[in-house]
Amino acid sequence: MPPGHRTRARRSAAWLPRQHGAWFMLALPVVVGAILRSADAVPPSPELLPVVACWLTGYLAFHAATVWLKAPPGRRASARTPLLTYGAAATGLGLASLAWGGTDLLGWVVPFGPLVAAALALAAGRRERSLASGALTVAAASLMTLVVRFVTPQAFGDALGSPGGTRALWYTGLVFAYLFGTVLYVKTMIRERGSGRWWAASLAWHGLATAVAAAAAVAGLLPWPWTVLFATTVVRAWLVPVLAARRPVRPLAVGLVEIAFTAAFVVVAVTA
């Protein structure tokens, strides 16, 4: 690869994530939170606009920070401008969110702060692609379901024990189960392709998620379509890596399958 091309690649890697699945991780919790608001007949909250924008730019700042942290000191300059740009934008949008939505929003720092700090610590140790890092970022993303549904932690606390609060907790858990399962599944397709250990871990996670959804359906806590959806993810987690072991599967094909499953998740959230 020519030196100029390598420089451009490093620069683009800091400005935008190369993993297309990151965009699904960012969007799905926001969409599900909006679905919950509609289901509970909650009126529109204009302050959510800067909150969601802060979330998006904050993630881009986080991504640029991971690129900066893992780069050798001599190569960190290429990530400095994206980090400062996104960091400034996220800070501005955060201040706008506080001005519009009130200082109660600061309560979300309690759950988000440790997750982001731990993920950055892993990036500093060049372990940003570890399973622990994936779990931390997915957990932070899943919390956005509650943010979009309730806006403030106080509103969420007031709803605990109510049908709307219980449903929001379940759906947040479903978002986490699906997205973390996707992390495992994608590893079996790309970085850990051919690893029986990772394939077994992916199957175990998807099977556990399906069993929990089925138990919740039996108890009347979740509609049955969730069990069907997660059961199909078990089939995906088993079948696609088996096919990929026989012939190469392009990342584009993996991404298209994920689009279909994410769309199915949204459809179940809307209709179930």
Side-chain angles (χ1 to χ4, degrees):
M1 181 184 296
H5 187 79
R6 286 197 297 268
T7 300
R8 289 192 297 272
R10 286 196 297 270
R11 186 178 298 118
S12 62
W15 279 108
L16 290 174
R18 291 180 179 177
Q19 298 79 21
H20 299 300
W23 302 109
F24 296 108
M25 182 186 71
L26 292 172
L28 183 62
V30 173
V31 172
V32 173
I35 291 169
L36 290 171
R37 291 181 67 87
S38 177
D40 294 335
V42 179
S45 296
E47 64 268 26
L48 273 176
L49 294 176
V51 169
V52 172
C54 180
W55 157 245
L56 295 174
T57 55
Y59 175 79
L60 292 173
F62 167 83
H63 169 73
T66 62
V67 174
W68 186 86
L69 285 168
K70 71 179 182 179
R75 295 184 178 179
R76 286 180 171 176
S78 63
R80 188 176 300 124
T81 299
L83 176 57
L84 293 176
T85 301
Y86 290 135
T91 300
L93 288 166
L95 292 174
S97 300
L98 293 175
W100 203 338
T103 56
D104 286 346
L105 284 168
L106 287 173
W108 290 118
V109 173
V110 175
F112 275 99
L115 295 172
V116 174
L120 288 174
L122 289 172
R126 298 188 179 183
R127 297 179 56 202
E128 77 284 352
R129 296 192 185 278
S130 66
L131 189 60
S133 179
L136 289 167
T137 52
V138 166
S142 301
L143 281 174
M144 280 302 296
T145 307
L146 297 178
V147 175
V148 173
R149 168 59 185 84
F150 296 105
V151 184
T152 67
Q154 181 178 355
F156 169 56
D158 292 341
L160 285 176
S162 69
T166 300
R167 180 168 55 249
L169 281 174
W170 271 106
Y171 277 46
T172 300
L174 291 168
V175 169
F176 177 84
Y178 172 72
L179 290 177
F180 186 64
T182 298
V183 170
L184 289 166
Y185 162 70
V186 170
K187 282 186 178 294
T188 67
M189 295 297 299
I190 301 175
R191 291 185 175 273
E192 303 296 340
R193 180 182 171 188
S195 170
R197 182 170 62 91
W198 281 93
W199 185 59
S202 176
L203 283 175
W205 176 264
H206 287 90
L208 176 62
T210 303
V212 171
V218 170
L221 299 173
L222 283 178
W224 278 102
W226 287 113
T227 304
V228 176
L229 174 66
F230 278 97
T232 61
T233 67
V234 176
V235 176
R236 175 201 63 179
W238 168 73
L239 180 60
V240 180
V242 169
L243 296 177
R246 298 175 181 175
R247 56 180 300 178
V249 176
R250 297 179 61 187
L252 176 61
V254 176
L256 291 174
V257 171
E258 287 312 298
I259 291 174
F261 271 91
T262 303
F265 190 105
V266 172
V267 169
V268 174
V270 170
T271 59

